[in-house]
């Protein structure tokens, strides 16, 4: 979940209240305080509330929740003065476009950082790491309307953000940090998206990077916001960014989008979506009957517009920036949040049910009891690892049964493990300052050929570690499991030849055991003999 840094001075100015009140009440709107600093507070918000990914959005929500400015927040949108045309070729590359102009914004270094952080959080939360949605914010004074959204040849060149020399779009994808990170989004296309002004100056190469010409500075007052992507989340992101800038005093203008066949579109829509709640569904979901005026009050506190109709139903105005409101239950949940879950009486369910533990949980619990009884300490390493650790350091050949992470956050977490032993070796490597012997195990998940499995593995490091030790361990384990097995010579390169064995049950190989190969021990930076085993529990 995203963690948003909120400066106190901004929060106090935008909410009209003090930081102590904010710190005390902000968890009540569905947020967890991650840390409290001297000049800011870090808040973790649920991914379904992207409108809270900025100090402006949080301030707007708090003004309603604290009864400072409750109710539906209306934003005036002025008629368009700027147009952007869409090239026909762009429809097959990145077809959805939303634009708006925001004028009269006063920036500081802090508010610029807040805007950039909002962009990146929306790229992650709504945009699936820019694939579905990417956002560009530009200094409007540096470019000349009308604008064009085209599919350009890869050899088109411009100066990208954070660089000083022109680069072709191909070079940006190969050499620019943002290009190398997001190049996969444009795989398979022979032309790339580009937004140009009337003089062919580059505003944006979505979803990769903006041009350096339109970089936002503290002198910027008028902005062009462009959002491109593959789905209607583009318009939600546009609503969130423009209303956040309006909270800073900006005046919003429509931008007219002209399609290749001459049709005109106005993608920015900040009018309320209207829904009607039945009293029965409100009372049924919350579990208690609230007076109509109380329901209306709580909806206003949560940023909705609400009124009671003559037939007793509740009409609700839903802001366009609330991406989480998909149906009536989402609105009713906000009634409960505003009212306070602690005020809703607890009752026993009408139906009695009997639960039981899952088979996999029972197996894991049995293995933990056996292994701890044999003197081993349980560990819980990550299930994500890297090819380097998983194959290269274990002296094993790379296999085709691996599940890879599409957008890894680091080079150390690029794949899901297929075996547990490499993780246990890493833990031994990180605990060399501890006294020997060290004996650890894990009963945990692996993923092989896209399917989950359950493995048990254990390792022991000490000066006298040898095959006899691990053979006795496996013998005791299988005896406690009441499983008959046999061993045959193994060819697993992670173990020493002549001191390794495959574990066979009913004619099928279920695991391996032995003394780790010296090169494996060296690869993990260890200096003592290590023995280990791993078996498939399913």
């Amino acid at each position: 979940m995203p963690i948003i840094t909120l400066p106190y001075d901004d929060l106090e100015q935008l909410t009209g209240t003090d930081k102590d009140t904010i710190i005390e009440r902000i968890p009540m709107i569905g947020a967890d305080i991650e840390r409290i600093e001297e000049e800011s507070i870090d808040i973790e918000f649920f991914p379904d509330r992207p409108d809270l990914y900025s100090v402006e959005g949080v301030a707007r929500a708090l003004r309603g929740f604290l009864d400072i400015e409750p109710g539906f927040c209306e934003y005036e949108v002025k008629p368009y003065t700027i147009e952007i045309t869409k090239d026909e070729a762009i429809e097959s590359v990145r077809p959805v476009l939303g634009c708006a102009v925001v004028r009269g914004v006063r920036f500081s270094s802090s508010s610029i950082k807040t805007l950039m952080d909002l962009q990146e959080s929306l790229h992650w939360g709504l945009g699936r790491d820019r694939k579905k949605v990417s956002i560009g914010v530009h200094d409007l004074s540096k470019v000349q309307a009308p604008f064009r959204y085209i599919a350009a040849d890869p050899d088109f060149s411009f100066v990208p953000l954070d660089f000083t020399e022109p680069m072709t779009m191909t070079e940006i994808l190969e050499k620019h940090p943002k290009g190398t990170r997001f190049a996969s989004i444009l795989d398979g296309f022979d032309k790339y998206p580009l937004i140009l002004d009337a003089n062919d100056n580059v505003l944006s190469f979505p979803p990769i990077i903006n041009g350096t010409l339109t970089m936002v500075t503290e002198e910027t007052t008028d902005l062009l916001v462009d959002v491109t992507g593959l789905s209607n989340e583009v318009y939600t992101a546009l609503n969130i960014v423009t209303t956040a800038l309006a909270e800073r005093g900006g005046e919003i203008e429509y931008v007219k989008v002209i399609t290749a066949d001459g049709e005109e579109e106005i993608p920015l829509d900040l009018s309320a979506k209207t829904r009607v709640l039945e009293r029965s569904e409100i009372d049924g979901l919350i579990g208690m009957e609230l007076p109509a005026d109380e329901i209306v009050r709580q909806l206003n506190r949560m940023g909705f517009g609400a009124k009671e109709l003559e037939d007793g139903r509740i009409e609700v105005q839903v802001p366009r920036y609330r991406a989480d409101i998909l149906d009536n239950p989402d609105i009713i949940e906000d009634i409960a949040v505003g009212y306070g879950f602690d005020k809703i009486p607890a009752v026993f369910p009408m139906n009695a049910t009997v639960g039981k533990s899952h088979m996999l949980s029972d197996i894991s619990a049995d293995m933990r009891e056996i292994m701890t009884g044999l003197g081993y300490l349980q560990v819980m390493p990550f299930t994500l690892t890297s090819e380097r650790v998983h194959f290269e350091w274990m002296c094993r050949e790379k296999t085709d049964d691996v599940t890879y992470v599409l957008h890894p956050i680091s080079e150390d977490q690029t794949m899901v493990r297929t075996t547990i032993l490499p993780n246990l070796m890493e833990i031994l490597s990180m605990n060399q300052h501890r006294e020997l012997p060290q004996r650890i195990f894990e009963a945990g998940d692996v993923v092989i050929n896209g399917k989950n499995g359950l493995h048990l593995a254990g390792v022991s490091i000490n000066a006298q570690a040898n095959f006899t030790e691990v053979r006795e361990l496996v013998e005791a384990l299988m005896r406690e499991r009441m499983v008959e097995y046999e061993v045959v010579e193994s060819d697993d390169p992670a173990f020493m030849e002549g001191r390794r064995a495959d574990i066979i049950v009913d004619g099928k190989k279920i695991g391996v055991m032995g003394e780790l190969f010296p090169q494996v021990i060296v690869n993990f930076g260890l200096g003592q003999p290590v023995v280990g085993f791993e078996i498939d529990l399913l």
Side-chain angles (χ1 to χ4, degrees):
M1 292 189 289
I3 296 176
I4 311 301
T5 299
L6 307 174
Y8 293 131
D9 55 351
D10 259 358
L11 269 179
E12 291 178 331
Q13 179 182 356
L14 292 171
T15 59
T17 189
D18 61 277
K19 75 173 186 179
D20 292 333
T21 300
I22 293 169
I23 293 172
E24 178 186 357
R25 301 301 300 279
I26 200 169
M28 303 302 177
I29 64 173
D32 290 327
I33 296 177
E34 184 74 14
R35 65 185 64 85
I36 298 175
E37 305 287 356
E38 184 175 344
E39 296 183 355
S40 64
I41 182 172
D42 291 344
I43 305 290
E44 185 178 45
F45 289 103
F46 292 113
D48 66 342
R49 288 297 304 270
D51 57 299
L52 300 180
Y53 288 178
S54 67
V55 63
E56 297 88 359
V58 173
R60 175 177 55 209
L62 281 173
R63 289 200 307 270
F65 191 73
L66 299 176
D67 290 314
I68 298 171
E69 290 181 15
F72 180 80
C73 187
E74 297 214 31
Y75 296 94
E76 180 186 0
V77 183
K78 296 187 175 183
Y80 69 89
T81 59
I82 288 176
E83 298 177 353
I84 181 168
T85 58
K86 286 175 63 178
D87 183 30
E88 183 177 1
I90 202 66
E91 295 295 333
S92 61
V93 182
R94 197 170 181 84
V96 185
L97 170 67
C99 290
V101 167
V102 185
R103 299 185 187 274
V105 182
R106 299 295 178 183
F107 280 113
S108 64
S109 58
S110 174
S111 57
I112 291 176
K113 182 180 184 305
T114 297
L115 177 60
M116 300 302 110
D117 290 344
L118 172 60
Q119 282 182 259
E120 291 308 311
S121 296
L122 290 175
H123 285 155
W124 175 84
L126 282 177
R128 299 297 184 266
D129 223 7
R130 302 196 185 194
K131 183 175 183 179
K132 292 179 67 177
V133 173
S134 63
I135 304 162
V137 181
H138 312 279
D139 187 335
L140 193 57
S141 68
K142 303 292 181 60
V143 287
Q144 180 68 45
F147 303 105
R148 291 177 293 140
Y149 181 39
I150 68 170
D153 291 327
D155 59 357
F156 189 99
S157 63
F158 67 97
V159 181
L161 199 63
D162 299 327
F163 275 58
T164 57
E165 297 296 327
M167 302 174 69
T168 67
M169 299 166 82
T170 300
E171 290 173 334
I172 290 172
L173 296 180
E174 295 173 348
K175 300 177 182 179
H176 195 286
K178 294 291 186 183
T180 56
R181 180 178 175 184
F182 300 109
S184 61
I185 300 175
L186 297 177
D187 282 349
F189 295 108
D190 56 4
K191 290 191 175 184
Y192 300 146
L194 201 64
I195 298 178
L196 303 172
D197 79 345
N199 300 316
D200 286 342
N201 293 312
V202 173
L203 283 75
S204 180
F205 170 20
I208 309 299
I209 192 71
N210 287 347
T212 193
L213 177 66
T214 60
M215 182 174 64
V216 176
T217 67
E218 293 182 35
E219 287 72 41
T220 301
T221 57
D222 297 347
L223 301 163
L224 174 70
V225 180
D226 76 75
V227 188
T228 66
L230 308 177
S231 66
N232 286 338
E233 277 80 4
V234 162
Y235 308 125
T236 302
L238 181 64
N239 293 340
I240 292 172
V241 174
T242 53
T243 54
L245 291 168
E247 291 290 329
R248 293 274 181 190
E251 295 181 347
I252 305 172
E253 286 182 12
Y254 294 112
V255 169
K256 183 166 69 174
V257 177
I258 303 175
T259 64
D261 55 10
E263 292 186 9
E264 298 181 356
E265 301 173 349
I266 303 293
L268 181 67
D269 183 4
L270 297 180
S271 62
K273 295 181 289 184
T274 301
R275 302 193 71 91
V276 177
L277 306 180
E278 300 284 349
R279 285 306 306 269
S280 59
E281 62 179 337
I282 298 174
D283 299 342
L285 285 177
I286 294 180
M288 63 181 295
E289 294 185 9
L290 292 174
D293 59 347
E294 182 68 18
I295 293 173
V296 169
R297 176 175 177 268
Q298 299 307 332
L299 285 169
N300 284 327
R301 293 182 66 229
M302 297 302 293
F304 301 94
K307 66 178 180 179
E308 182 183 10
L309 301 177
E310 291 182 0
D311 57 5
R313 296 184 300 169
I314 307 296
E315 183 180 274
V316 184
Q317 291 179 297
V318 181
R320 293 280 177 174
Y321 53 76
R322 287 294 300 269
D324 60 312
I325 305 300
L326 304 179
D327 209 340
N328 287 359
D330 301 313
I331 303 174
I332 296 170
E333 179 186 15
D334 266 18
I335 298 173
V337 171
Y339 183 73
F341 287 112
D342 57 325
K343 298 178 183 177
I344 300 174
V347 296
F348 283 104
M350 297 291 292
N351 300 320
T353 60
V354 177
K356 65 177 183 178
S357 57
H358 193 278
M359 176 194 71
L360 297 181
S361 299
D362 289 338
I363 295 174
S364 297
D366 290 343
M367 294 305 101
R368 289 194 294 270
E369 183 176 358
I370 293 171
M371 292 300 293
T372 53
L374 292 170
Y376 278 65
L377 181 68
Q378 182 185 10
V379 295
M380 298 180 67
F382 291 125
T383 55
L384 295 182
T385 183
S386 66
E387 289 185 351
R388 182 180 69 255
V389 171
H390 206 66
F391 297 114
E392 183 180 334
W393 287 7
M394 292 296 292
C395 296
R396 288 169 168 167
E397 292 292 327
K398 179 182 173 183
T399 58
D400 296 328
D401 55 6
V402 177
T403 299
Y404 290 95
V405 179
L406 182 60
H407 300 296
I409 62 174
S410 75
E411 294 180 353
D412 299 324
Q413 297 177 330
T414 59
M415 57 169 281
V416 187
R417 67 185 182 183
T418 61
T419 62
I420 295 177
L421 272 175
N423 299 93
L424 300 186
M425 294 294 291
E426 277 192 297
I427 291 178
L428 293 182
S429 177
M430 291 184 288
N431 285 274
Q432 296 185 68
H433 58 290
R434 302 291 185 181
E435 63 182 19
L436 300 180
Q438 293 177 26
R439 296 184 174 94
I440 59 175
F441 79 96
E442 185 197 5
D445 295 326
V446 297
V447 176
I448 301 172
N449 288 322
K451 297 182 179 179
N452 285 14
L454 183 65
H455 282 197
L456 171 68
V459 292
S460 172
I461 180 170
N462 61 85
Q464 283 77 42
N466 55 37
F467 184 80
T468 301
E469 177 184 351
V470 71
R471 175 64 190 269
E472 290 175 345
L473 172 66
V474 172
E475 176 70 25
L477 171 66
M478 302 301 273
R479 183 176 63 248
E480 291 296 322
R481 296 185 67 203
M482 294 184 290
V483 174
E484 294 185 2
Y485 77 103
E486 59 180 329
V487 297
V488 299
E489 185 176 354
S490 174
D491 59 0
D492 191 328
F495 298 90
M496 293 178 62
E497 186 177 356
R499 303 181 190 181
R500 60 192 179 188
D502 289 336
I503 303 169
I504 309 296
V505 174
D506 295 331
K508 178 184 176 182
K509 177 184 173 181
I510 68 161
V512 65
M513 61 180 172
E515 296 182 30
L516 273 298
F517 190 63
Q519 186 60 52
V520 173
I521 296 173
V522 170
N523 289 342
F524 284 92
L526 299 170
Q528 297 286 346
V530 181
V531 295
F533 78 94
E534 181 162 352
I535 60 173
D536 185 347
L537 295 173
L538 301 180

